[in-house]
Amino acid sequence: KKKLSLPFEKKKKMVSIEGLTVEFGGFTLLDGLSFVVNRKDRIALVGKNGAGKSTILKMITGVCHATSGEININGRVSALLELTSGFDPEFTGIENIRLKGHLAGLSKQEIEEIMPDIIEFAEIGDYIEQPLRTFSSGMKARLGFAINANINPEILIVDEALSVGDVEFKEKCLKKVSSLIDEKDVTLLFVTHSTATALEFCSRGIVMRKGKKIFDGDIAEAADVYKESIISDKKEAQKKAVAKRKKENSHVSGGKK
């Protein structure tokens, strides 16, 4: 039998990941990852480039699929990642709002209710009535953020590195994220390289390293673990560099007569 989804207020487990492994092109992007995201959790996913953070988000948003393991989602997901995906270049801004709202599972009435908020937030003026192909990349990103942030998400996924245009608008976007967390009680998954930002927005941290989870707990402890892992990686890289130079020097010395 198909499981019925409980009302948002009664949901507890929003995301469940069990033994998730993702392999691609001979590389293991995620290696047996498991964790649970409960309602109202504010989780920072931290780690260096290549640690597996983006792959986790792509799994949750359905962009890519696992080699093995399970992932279960229980709630409407809004991903502030690839903001311009899903747009039709021939549709006007208004028509694209309706399109994205429909894809997100909103009713026609719900879409029309949030339409003014989206238009106001995007700050693109009369262009909202023009085909999307006439928009600049910054305008497309603004509209994408405005839509995704206003569709009343239950699970909000944010990449700190998202490109939304100028610094002032990016600050506005981060304030919007903060208001969603504080006022709407959304569940947050926040990808960042900055421990300061993680400490500001999140209460729990998951530290990733080479496709594996090396820590899951209090955000302050997670920040310390992340810093220590960076120091450890630097020391390891330095040792390898020294060993490589010694090997090269020995070859040069051995080659002299």
Side-chain angles (χ1 to χ4, degrees), residues 34-247:
S34 298
F35 66 88
V36 170
V37 180
N38 293 318
R39 185 168 72 89
K40 296 186 181 183
D41 274 354
R42 282 79 166 111
I43 301 175
L45 290 168
V46 295
K48 294 172 66 177
N49 289 335
K53 307 183 303 298
S54 296
T55 304
I56 295 171
L57 301 190
K58 288 177 180 177
M59 295 298 307
I60 294 172
T61 54
V63 174
C64 66
H65 302 283
T67 305
S68 62
E70 291 185 3
I71 179 166
N72 294 295
I73 311 296
N74 188 22
R76 179 185 294 156
V77 177
S78 179
L80 304 179
L81 305 170
E82 298 172 0
L83 297 174
T84 60
S85 64
F87 280 144
D88 188 316
E90 297 303 320
F91 282 11
T92 66
I94 295 289
E95 290 169 334
N96 270 294
I97 292 172
R98 293 189 176 116
L99 172 64
K100 295 271 277 189
H102 175 72
L103 293 173
L106 273 64
S107 67
K108 289 183 179 179
Q109 182 180 342
E110 287 174 319
I111 294 169
E112 295 307 315
E113 285 175 355
I114 63 174
M115 181 80 74
D117 293 333
I118 292 171
I119 293 172
E120 180 182 358
F121 193 94
E123 296 181 357
I124 58 176
D126 293 339
Y127 271 94
I128 198 72
E129 300 284 358
Q130 300 301 314
L132 202 80
R133 55 181 164 75
T134 66
F135 287 27
S136 67
S137 58
M139 290 165 63
K140 291 175 188 175
R142 283 174 178 236
L143 182 60
F145 185 97
I147 294 170
N148 288 337
N150 282 285
I151 63 170
N152 299 319
E154 296 167 337
I155 303 166
L156 184 65
I157 297 175
V158 182
D159 189 336
E160 187 195 28
L162 79 150
S163 177
V164 288
D166 57 61
V167 174
E168 185 178 345
F169 193 79
K170 185 170 184 177
E171 289 177 357
K172 179 181 177 180
C173 291
L174 290 175
K175 285 181 181 178
K176 177 65 176 179
V177 170
S178 183
S179 71
L180 285 171
I181 296 168
D182 296 335
E183 298 168 19
K184 302 290 185 180
D185 281 338
V186 301
T187 300
L188 176 70
L189 280 171
F190 190 76
V191 168
T192 180
H193 293 280
S194 168
T195 52
T197 308
L199 288 164
E200 179 184 354
F201 282 99
C202 305
S203 57
R204 174 181 163 196
I206 294 177
V207 185
M208 297 293 299
R209 185 174 185 269
K210 297 180 180 179
K212 293 184 177 182
K213 179 183 71 177
I214 62 171
F215 180 84
D216 182 354
D218 178 75
I219 188 61
E221 292 181 58
D224 289 339
V225 170
Y226 177 48
K227 290 174 184 175
E228 288 170 6
S229 72
I230 291 175
I231 294 170
S232 176
D233 286 346
K234 284 182 179 178
K235 288 180 178 178
E236 185 179 330
Q238 287 171 351
K239 285 181 180 179
K240 286 182 178 179
V242 170
K244 184 180 179 181
R245 283 197 298 270
K246 284 182 178 179
K247 188 176 181 180

